Amino acid sequence: PKTDIVFLKVHKSASSTVMNILFRFGEMHNLTFAFPLGGGFQLYYPHHFLATFVQGFSPRSPRRFNILCHHMRFLQPEVQKVVPSSAIYFSILRNPVQLMESSFVYYKGASAFSRVRSLEEFLRQPQRYYNPASGDRHYARNLMTFDFGFNPDGEASPERVQLMLKAIEASFDFLLISEYFDESMVLLKEMLCWDLDSVVSFPLNSRDSSTKSPLPDSVVEKLKAWNRLDWEIYTHFNRTFWERIERDIGRERLRREVRALRERRAELARTCLQGTGSVAPKDIKDSSLRPLQHGGARILGYNLKQGLARGLERTCRRLVTPELQYSSLLYKKQFPPQPP
């Protein structure tokens, strides 16, 4: 199994669920994480990543960490200073239409969104509300492009787009697609030589459908045009994702493995969870399992069954522990507080 991994955690793309998978694998195999300084939750995002943002990194001691997976704005020469040269690089993408709709609800307080009532209103005159000089502009335009380290306001000429796609291909071994999450997990398992239980998960940081609204076609077209760079990244890597599946796995085995993954998830849900699945934040009984609520989104969580055997309780708890709590727990394990 591969144990040296860089995961670029792209915003609003099922990346918290992937992070949970990496946290569990790392914890089980006693791997080290490149944590933000002082145990924070982001690597000084939205600044471009620097090795000095990592707790325990020193230019003098060439310490390397197994897994880098916290939010960052990608800058490969700096990333290479904190992970082994053999590390596998991957990320996950989401259709920019859904991504922006999610970003609008989640980051409603961002300067570009704060003065409009709806995404439609914003897209009618985006230039009126969007300021390319504001520090939080990336939430409102080409968010994936920004996370990969590029200029979200760059022109979308064919030459520029090609350079960007080639740069991403040169840095990353593969990219997953959140709309095809289970197929992505099968590919991840294949690329990292992991077993099925290592990639099974419950959806984390997902929001209640009451805050989701379908967008009319006219808005979708405006949204694609406004996020043209993201759209180019998504369509290109959606295509190469399926080419890679054909080449490395084949459709028949893919179908079998997706079925096995879904059966295992359903089995774990029956074993671990009260009820059939996720619940609203107010209904989560154990406050340590309550995810951070942000913006206008209602982030769902889970209730564990009572009276589980100890080992099983631990397995189940890890599956549903929200990102911030899990990150803090692993940070304290890796950097135990010094006694006074």
Side-chain angles (χ1 to χ4, degrees):
K2 304 273 193 290
T3 53
D4 298 327
I5 292 158
V6 173
F7 171 56
L8 177 63
K9 187 174 185 291
V10 168
H11 285 77
K12 316 302 335 135
S13 303
S15 55
S16 295
T17 308
V18 177
M19 201 178 189
N20 176 273
I21 288 168
L22 296 174
F23 279 167
R24 287 180 0 238
F25 186 86
E27 184 180 26
M28 184 183 261
H29 295 86
N30 284 320
L31 304 178
T32 55
F33 291 87
F35 284 108
L37 277 175
F41 302 114
Q42 301 195 340
L43 291 154
Y44 288 79
Y45 186 88
H47 298 286
H48 272 108
F49 177 80
L50 294 175
T52 51
F53 296 166
V54 172
Q55 181 74 39
F57 170 80
S58 145
R60 291 180 299 286
S61 75
R63 180 178 183 186
R64 295 282 193 273
F65 300 91
N66 299 114
I67 299 177
L68 174 60
C69 62
H70 286 73
H71 269 311
M72 64 169 158
R73 190 173 183 206
F74 189 67
L75 186 61
Q76 191 164 20
E78 288 291 316
V79 168
Q80 286 167 332
K81 295 176 185 176
V82 299
V83 294
S85 56
S86 59
I88 300 278
Y89 287 67
F90 78 99
S91 186
I92 187 163
L93 303 174
R94 184 181 185 186
N95 184 314
V97 175
Q98 281 75 47
L99 184 129
M100 189 165 183
E101 189 272 330
S102 176
S103 185
F104 180 80
V105 173
Y106 204 80
Y107 301 112
K108 188 71 184 74
S111 56
F113 295 149
S114 58
R115 307 202 322 271
V116 293
R117 281 188 306 278
S118 66
L119 193 50
E120 284 101 307
E121 188 181 339
F122 173 79
L123 288 163
R124 271 200 291 277
Q125 296 174 286
Q127 301 297 1
R128 184 177 158 194
Y129 306 107
Y130 177 84
N131 174 7
S134 75
D136 61 2
R137 77 190 195 283
H138 49 283
Y139 294 125
R141 186 175 205 189
N142 291 316
L143 182 50
M144 293 191 290
T145 302
F146 184 87
D147 286 355
F148 276 96
F150 303 102
N151 176 9
D153 298 306
E155 55 159 334
S157 67
E159 301 75 30
R160 289 276 304 258
V161 166
Q162 276 314 306
L163 282 171
M164 182 173 70
L165 297 176
K166 285 209 164 31
I168 295 173
E169 278 176 340
S171 299
F172 288 83
D173 295 285
F174 57 98
L175 276 86
L176 307 175
I177 302 290
S178 67
E179 282 79 14
Y180 303 102
F181 191 81
D182 292 347
E183 292 82 355
S184 290
M185 291 305 101
V186 171
L187 183 63
L188 184 69
K189 174 167 110 51
E190 181 79 9
M191 302 306 290
L192 300 180
C193 306
W194 288 7
D195 63 5
L196 179 70
D197 267 12
S198 297
V199 298
V200 75
S201 63
F202 298 140
L204 294 175
N205 206 28
S206 57
R207 63 193 170 110
D208 183 354
S209 56
S210 70
T211 61
K212 296 178 185 174
S213 47
L215 298 167
D217 292 349
S218 58
V219 173
V220 168
E221 289 314 311
K222 280 183 188 154
L223 210 152
K224 284 183 196 169
W226 175 246
N227 293 288
R228 176 69 193 284
L229 294 171
D230 271 12
W231 186 250
E232 294 285 356
I233 291 175
Y234 179 77
T235 49
H236 175 82
F237 288 105
N238 188 7
R239 192 178 68 247
T240 58
F241 172 82
W242 293 105
E243 287 167 3
R244 173 150 246 163
I245 293 267
E246 293 281 5
R247 191 179 73 229
D248 294 349
I249 298 172
R251 294 283 170 134
E252 199 38 58
R253 180 152 78 91
L254 177 73
R255 266 195 291 277
R256 282 201 308 276
E257 299 225 359
V258 164
R259 189 163 62 240
L261 179 70
R262 287 174 180 164
E263 282 168 3
R264 181 66 180 132
R265 181 186 298 131
E267 184 189 343
L268 280 165
R270 285 193 298 274
T271 305
C272 296
L273 304 180
Q274 286 182 30
T276 52
S278 53
V279 296
K282 66 174 176 28
D283 299 324
I284 300 168
K285 298 185 181 79
D286 180 342
S287 61
S288 71
L289 296 179
R290 197 170 288 142
L292 174 75
Q293 301 299 315
H294 200 91
R298 278 216 310 231
I299 306 301
L300 303 171
Y302 298 91
N303 286 316
L304 291 179
K305 278 190 176 157
Q306 301 297 302
L308 294 169
R310 203 164 141 205
L312 182 60
E313 204 271 348
R314 186 191 157 91
T315 299
C316 293
R317 179 168 287 275
R318 290 296 188 257
L319 277 162
V320 300
T321 299
E323 171 187 332
L324 304 191
Q325 288 94 311
Y326 207 156
S327 184
S328 294
L329 188 116
L330 293 173
Y331 178 81
K332 288 190 188 102
K333 209 166 152 181
Q334 191 168 309
F335 298 103
Q338 297 301 311

